[in-house]
Amino acid sequence: MDVSNLKFMFRHIHPKGSVEPEHTHPHRELIYYIRGEGKVVIAGKEYSYRGGSYAYIPVGVPHIEKHDTQTEVLFFVFELDNDFITLREGVFHDDGGELLPLFEELQREIVQKRKYYDYAANGLIQRIVIQISRRQFPETDESVLRE
């Protein structure tokens, strides 16, 4: 079985002062900063991150990470079948802490490889992307009523 939407996923601890040099991916990337502080440069724009932040990097966009403190991340690179779902690039904060459990559940599915894990992983990717999109583009009562 192949997880068609997930290209790779890692949990990693970056040492204090380390830098991930500029690079790109041929797919989308989501990074969850579990703990630590630093900067991310996405398409030439610098953002600060701290524990509980996440970054979205679109296909082919150059990015650099600079870790001011020891930083633990959970990130994955993926394809998205539903291109109608829009995400803004940049760094955002997971105010309610709702995304980390989904990232961790995705990691468990990949590591444990239980029956139908590929379907579960793809469903989790969709849930994460939808939740982020809803936060970035909230519906108002007015916009819902116009439809």
Side-chain angles (χ1 to χ4, degrees), residues 17-37:
S18 64
V19 175
E20 293 296 315
E22 183 173 270
H23 63 286
T24 63
H25 301 284
H27 306 288
R28 302 164 190 251
E29 181 177 11
L30 274 167
I31 306 166
Y32 196 100
Y33 298 95
I34 298 168
R35 61 183 169 88
E37 294 179 2

Side-chain angles (χ1 to χ4, degrees), residues 91-137:
V91 174
F92 309 91
H93 195 69
D94 184 17
D95 291 323
E98 298 163 351
L99 291 174
L100 182 57
L102 294 174
F103 273 72
E104 290 176 329
E105 187 177 347
L106 177 59
Q107 181 187 26
R108 276 192 302 279
E109 287 291 343
I110 299 309
V111 169
Q112 294 174 359
K113 291 187 173 32
R114 296 178 299 164
K115 188 174 184 179
Y116 307 121
Y117 81 94
D118 53 341
Y119 296 103
N122 286 335
L124 284 162
I125 291 168
Q126 294 291 329
R127 284 180 61 195
I128 291 166
V129 168
I130 288 168
Q131 191 164 19
I132 290 171
S133 182
R134 285 177 173 170
R135 288 176 178 195
Q136 292 180 348
F137 304 98

Side-chain angles (χ1 to χ4, degrees), residues 11-15 31-37 49-53 67 69-75 104 107:
R11 187 174 199 136
H12 185 71
I13 298 177
H14 296 282
I31 306 166
Y32 196 100
Y33 298 95
I34 298 168
R35 61 183 169 88
E37 294 179 2
Y49 73 80
R50 65 184 196 275
S53 297
H67 309 289
T69 64
Q70 185 180 54
T71 300
E72 184 176 5
V73 297
L74 184 54
F75 69 96
E104 290 176 329
Q107 181 187 26

